[in-house]
Amino acid sequence: VSLKENAPAAAHFALADWGTTHLRVWLTDETGHVLGVDESANGMGALKPEQFAGVLEATLNRMGARSDVPVMICGMAGARQGWREAPYADCPIALTELPARAIGFGSHGRAVAIMPGVARRDLARPDVMRGEETQLLGLAIGFGLANGIACMPGTHSKWVRVADGRIADFATAMTGELYAMLTQHSILRHATAASDGGRKPVSGSDPVFLAHVSHALDESGGLARLFSVRAGSLLNGARAEDGRAALSGLLIGAELRGLATLIGARPGPIMIVGSGSLASLYQAALQMAGFQPEICRGEDAVRAGLLAAARLHFTRETTAAKRAAP
Amino acid sequence: VSLKENAPAAAHFALADWGTTHLRVWLTDETGHVLGVDESANGMGALKPEQFAGVLEATLNRMGARSDVPVMICGMAGARQGWREAPYADCPIALTELPARAIGFGSHGRAVAIMPGVARRDLARPDVMRGEETQLLGLAIGFGLANGIACMPGTHSKWVRVADGRIADFATAMTGELYAMLTQHSILRHATAASDGGRKPVSGSDPVFLAHVSHALDESGGLARLFSVRAGSLLNGARAEDGRAALSGLLIGAELRGLATLIGARPGPIMIVGSGSLASLYQAALQMAGFQPEICRGEDAVRAGLLAAARLHFTRETTAAKRAAP
């Protein structure tokens, strides 16, 4: 899908969110105004390393970008199995330092840079992120989150403590993947299967969801309660819709409880990066835990982060090049 | 596999542990001395309801049991999708009351009874067991556990608080199934895959296992640490063997922590019902949590329970029949 607006030829930056399953490219002017967008399924998972350059150039040509527009990329394209490995920066790190760590190179004659991921090099709890660091830069520069907690729900939810514009600490919870596995492969699949064909997403106002968030928040036994979803179906004939709400509540509640140390008692602002029903579930769960989170769309956060990164990285490069000139 | 000893014709009871994947039958004399054993893969999962009677009779004939030997059965044969449904008894319940709740019927001219499961009918945390109740009866009568905690690890671990010979409370943890799913289907599969072909079981003395039990016991963040198994492989090149030990430690540690309320601070004796490496992992984890568990083989517990159940059920029946006789 390519959306061309009136002046792609005036584009100053190309910004690319290049994940495992998707590629999204924006053309913007110098101020970040969007001149064109292109989305495709050309994610890292579908490409060999030698295919990235061609896919990017074809996309930019389709969008009408001039051949000298530089490209800032974040996400799995920078993983070891991606286009070029952009090594992890070590946490803690200032968000505005990250663009300087982006790896720059030329491709089809244009300047390309890939943002680094961030690593928590702790032997007791190592962790990594790749892509979220750019959203965090966007939250800090575009949405005022220089101190607080970013809650980034998904297959692997990231929770990040930001302090004075730095990634102070972060943790990954495999909540989305656990939910998918438990509903597809475990004994809970019967109690959570969609018998009605469609799968209505769980709602953050569902009393079954809220009750199970509460159960998991009240005790450290979130894991020990999972089987109650099966037993509730056996003993009480609980509906699959309620099974999904219960499972979702238990997992998200256990996630919150497990992250109590990272979040802290007075975390400052909490920003959920996401949209739709998943964001509303985390909003409801965080409210139940006594917080007042705000929501920022993931797409908005990553675009703001890529724009900030492009400005910092390419401006510095240009300045350096000018200085180096005789 | 059928093991005939010298006097199957003198058998007084047939005792059958009939689970989802296996059928194990013992012939014993009146005192419980084993006269023969037969094990097969004729579990509930492989049989239609109308096949159970024939499979049992063929097994008993193969073992040389007389046609008047009564049979006490426990396990999934009593589930709704098994041979005949033996309805759940409600928790709390005295263990010695359970045999009276067994459903009795005739099959090929012999008396057969199937032990009931036990249900925890609590809307906030419903739970069920089927088969473990018979092991608990065996622990109480044959191994002196009338007060304390039974830890029954497996695909779905059961933890049971026994007080004055009653099932006072219990909970199911899906730890074994979570471990299997995470090592087979999740992003952790790479970090836990056996590259050497064989899968050496995790050992309870493995320092990586113990460190991760400790992490999970020290905080409620067991779930929030799962991803560290992946990150440890990415960042530190952790071996798959260590990945399995870490995952096993995190899950068992989180299980223990999640069951803190059920176990209590002064639980009395703790008996692990199991054998081999799994029992040794739970033993090590419980020791780390400050307890001194003992171990009883699951096979010994279920046989002792079936024997006690057969005595209580069939003797009562015989007595009742004699009383009813003119």
Side-chain angles (χ1 to χ4, degrees):
Chain A
V1 186
S2 191
L3 162 70
K4 288 191 193 176
E5 293 189 12
N6 42 13
H12 196 82
F13 295 123
L15 311 174
D17 177 14
W18 209 327
T20 305
T21 59
H22 73 277
L23 166 62
R24 181 181 286 140
V25 181
W26 293 272
L27 292 182
T28 75
D29 66 16
E30 202 166 1
T31 69
H33 179 71
V34 176
L35 306 173
V37 186
D38 187 284
E39 287 184 46
S40 69
N42 287 312
M44 176 209 72
L47 301 176
K48 293 177 188 160
E50 62 271 23
Q51 296 178 297
F52 283 80
V55 164
L56 178 63
E57 200 55 28
T59 304
L60 292 172
N61 289 339
R62 188 164 66 230
M63 297 175 79
R66 286 191 323 268
S67 62
D68 63 346
V69 174
V71 189
M72 177 56 73
I73 299 171
C74 73
M76 294 303 286
R80 198 172 301 163
Q81 65 275 43
W83 185 357
R84 296 235 184 155
E85 185 172 5
Y88 294 110
D90 287 2
C91 167
I93 186 163
L95 288 163
T96 52
E97 270 184 41
L98 290 171
R101 309 286 188 96
I103 55 158
F105 55 96
S107 175
H108 289 271
R110 70 173 86 233
V112 174
I114 305 182
M115 285 283 278
V118 175
R120 188 182 193 279
R121 295 186 186 276
D122 172 328
L123 285 175
R125 184 170 68 73
D127 211 331
V128 291
M129 66 169 70
R130 193 175 281 286
E132 292 87 355
E133 74 295 325
T134 304
Q135 293 184 308
L136 292 165
L137 177 62
L139 291 183
I141 291 198
F143 297 88
L145 192 80
N147 287 282
I149 298 287
C151 159
M152 311 166 100
T155 303
H156 300 148
S157 301
K158 303 286 179 191
W159 289 77
V160 186
R161 188 151 52 79
V162 180
D164 299 326
R166 301 169 73 81
I167 298 179
D169 197 5
F170 70 99
T172 304
M174 294 176 58
T175 311
E177 188 164 16
L178 283 170
Y179 182 84
M181 284 195 314
L182 287 165
T183 53
Q184 286 164 27
H185 298 297
S186 85
I187 197 168
L188 304 187
R189 67 188 184 279
H190 310 292
T192 55
S195 51
D196 52 359
R199 280 208 170 199
K200 203 175 72 172
V202 178
S203 154
S205 60
D206 183 323
V208 175
F209 170 77
L210 293 170
H212 284 78
V213 170
S214 173
H215 292 325
L217 285 176
D218 283 349
E219 53 179 50
S220 51
L223 273 179
R225 276 184 179 267
L226 293 179
F227 191 75
S228 72
V229 174
R230 160 87 171 151
S233 165
L234 276 178
L235 293 179
N236 310 325
R239 297 175 305 168
E241 188 181 334
D242 290 336
R244 294 196 294 279
L247 179 60
S248 182
L250 287 178
L251 289 174
I252 293 177
E255 179 181 357
L256 258 65
R257 191 175 164 104
L259 289 160
T261 308
L262 181 88
I263 298 173
R266 293 163 181 258
I270 298 188
M271 185 82 86
I272 297 168
V273 183
S275 57
S277 58
L278 191 62
S280 80
L281 292 181
Y282 278 80
Q283 185 178 37
L286 279 162
Q287 284 171 346
M288 180 161 278
F291 302 113
Q292 294 302 329
E294 290 178 63
I295 296 182
C296 175
R297 292 199 320 154
E299 192 183 323
D300 295 340
V302 76
R303 182 157 54 83
L306 284 166
L307 177 68
R311 281 181 175 154
L312 288 163
H313 183 88
F314 293 117
T315 307
R316 194 186 58 122
E317 265 197 351
T318 312
T319 313
K322 279 182 184 156
R323 276 197 198 125
Chain B
V1 184
S2 190
L3 162 69
K4 288 190 195 177
E5 293 190 11
N6 42 11
H12 196 81
F13 295 124
L15 310 175
D17 176 14
W18 209 327
T20 305
T21 59
H22 73 278
L23 167 62
R24 182 181 286 139
V25 180
W26 294 273
L27 292 181
T28 75
D29 67 14
E30 201 167 0
T31 69
H33 179 70
V34 175
L35 306 172
V37 187
D38 187 283
E39 287 184 44
S40 69
N42 288 310
M44 177 209 70
L47 301 177
K48 292 176 189 161
E50 62 271 24
Q51 296 179 297
F52 283 79
V55 164
L56 177 63
E57 200 56 28
T59 304
L60 292 172
N61 288 340
R62 188 164 68 231
M63 298 175 78
R66 285 191 325 266
S67 63
D68 63 345
V69 173
V71 189
M72 177 55 74
I73 299 172
C74 74
M76 293 304 284
R80 198 172 300 164
Q81 65 276 42
W83 185 357
R84 296 235 185 156
E85 186 173 5
Y88 294 110
D90 287 3
C91 168
I93 187 164
L95 289 162
T96 52
E97 270 183 42
L98 290 171
R101 308 285 187 97
I103 56 158
F105 54 96
S107 175
H108 289 272
R110 69 173 86 235
V112 173
I114 305 182
M115 285 284 277
V118 174
R120 188 183 193 278
R121 295 185 186 276
D122 171 328
L123 285 175
R125 184 169 67 73
D127 210 332
V128 292
M129 65 168 70
R130 193 176 282 286
E132 292 87 355
E133 74 294 325
T134 305
Q135 293 184 308
L136 292 165
L137 177 61
L139 292 181
I141 291 197
F143 297 88
L145 191 80
N147 287 281
I149 298 288
C151 159
M152 311 165 102
T155 304
H156 300 146
S157 300
K158 303 286 178 189
W159 289 77
V160 185
R161 188 151 52 78
V162 180
D164 299 326
R166 302 169 72 81
I167 299 179
D169 197 5
F170 69 98
T172 303
M174 294 177 57
T175 311
E177 187 164 16
L178 283 170
Y179 182 83
M181 284 195 315
L182 287 165
T183 53
Q184 287 164 26
H185 298 296
S186 86
I187 197 168
L188 305 186
R189 68 188 184 279
H190 310 294
T192 56
S195 52
D196 53 359
R199 280 208 169 199
K200 202 174 72 170
V202 178
S203 154
S205 60
D206 183 323
V208 175
F209 170 77
L210 293 170
H212 284 80
V213 171
S214 173
H215 293 325
L217 284 176
D218 284 350
E219 51 178 51
S220 50
L223 273 180
R225 275 183 180 267
L226 293 179
F227 191 76
S228 71
V229 174
R230 159 88 171 154
S233 166
L234 275 179
L235 294 180
N236 311 325
R239 297 175 305 167
E241 188 181 332
D242 290 337
R244 294 196 294 279
L247 179 60
S248 182
L250 287 179
L251 288 175
I252 293 177
E255 178 181 358
L256 258 64
R257 192 176 161 102
L259 289 160
T261 308
L262 181 87
I263 298 173
R266 293 163 180 257
I270 298 188
M271 185 81 84
I272 297 168
V273 183
S275 57
S277 59
L278 191 61
S280 80
L281 292 181
Y282 278 81
Q283 185 178 36
L286 279 162
Q287 284 171 346
M288 180 162 277
F291 301 112
Q292 294 302 327
E294 290 180 62
I295 296 182
C296 175
R297 293 199 318 155
E299 193 183 322
D300 295 341
V302 75
R303 183 158 55 81
L306 284 166
L307 177 68
R311 281 180 174 155
L312 287 163
H313 182 89
F314 294 118
T315 306
R316 193 185 58 121
E317 265 195 352
T318 311
T319 313
K322 278 182 187 158
R323 275 196 200 126

